[in-house]
Amino acid sequence: MPDLSHGEDAAAVNTLRSSIMLLGRRLKHQRVDESLSPTEMSVLATLSRCGSASPGELARKEHVQPPSMTRIVAMLESKGLVELEAHPDDRRQKVVTRTERAESMLAASRMKRDRWLTDLAGQLDEEEWEKLRAATSVLEKLAHLSAPPR
């Protein structure tokens, strides 16, 4: 593996970091329901991607404390975005499941984000777009390499 900590390579890493962070922050604001925080949207996305989970499992996946997840789940339930059901193996626990309303909202938010990125990428020239499109598999690999162990 090359040493990327000096000169032009270090500058490229710095530019990559700051650009990804800026785009990520701006993407987070491209959502349909502005009343939900990015953390609440992330919980819904995790439920959509991974399926139903206990509040404790969600807290671990989202890297928040269990009491915080309890509050988040209660708020999402009050908005009709999740349902709580008895755990199939342990009746003392609950399982959180997203509702159809949550799935529709997530789909609309994804569409809004995709439109935003499409409009942004539409401002690139052909050569820039080809470079970016060619880099998507590398960016995807970096995202997977960065994922915390589950």
Side-chain angles (χ1 to χ4, degrees):
M1 183 172 136
D3 178 6
L4 305 178
S5 61
H6 304 293
E8 290 180 12
D9 288 332
V13 168
N14 183 53
T15 300
L16 180 62
R17 175 195 46 77
S18 63
S19 299
I20 289 172
M21 288 177 66
L22 182 59
L23 282 170
R25 280 195 302 271
R26 290 183 178 161
L27 265 174
K28 284 181 181 180
H29 293 288
Q30 302 298 317
R31 56 186 192 269
V32 173
D33 188 336
E34 293 291 324
S35 72
L36 296 178
S37 72
T39 301
E40 294 158 350
M41 288 292 293
S42 180
V43 169
L44 292 176
T46 296
L47 288 170
S48 179
R49 190 175 51 258
C50 300
S52 300
S54 71
E57 291 167 331
L58 282 174
R60 281 188 294 284
K61 288 179 181 184
E62 292 296 316
H63 305 285
V64 300
Q65 294 298 314
S68 295
M69 185 56 65
T70 299
R71 286 189 295 276
I72 292 168
V73 168
M75 190 283 309
L76 292 172
E77 183 182 31
S78 73
K79 291 188 173 205
L81 298 171
V82 299
E83 295 174 341
L84 290 172
E85 302 164 351
H87 193 283
D89 300 325
D90 184 352
R91 297 289 181 191
R92 296 170 296 169
Q93 291 190 45
K94 298 286 184 183
V95 174
V96 183
T97 305
R98 73 187 184 286
T99 63
E100 284 298 319
R101 181 173 176 216
E103 198 57 43
S104 295
M105 187 192 60
L106 286 170
S109 287
R110 284 185 206 108
M111 285 176 45
K112 185 174 181 179
R113 287 181 174 119
D114 285 350
R115 276 194 311 272
W116 183 81
L117 274 174
T118 298
D119 291 346
L120 199 60
Q123 297 175 47
L124 301 174
D125 63 35
E126 282 294 320
E127 184 180 341
E128 290 168 327
W129 171 242
E130 285 303 318
K131 288 177 183 177
L132 182 59
R133 196 171 82 184
T136 57
S137 62
V138 176
L139 291 170
E140 184 177 39
K141 181 176 181 177
L142 283 177
H144 288 292
L145 289 171
S146 72
R150 299 252 180 216

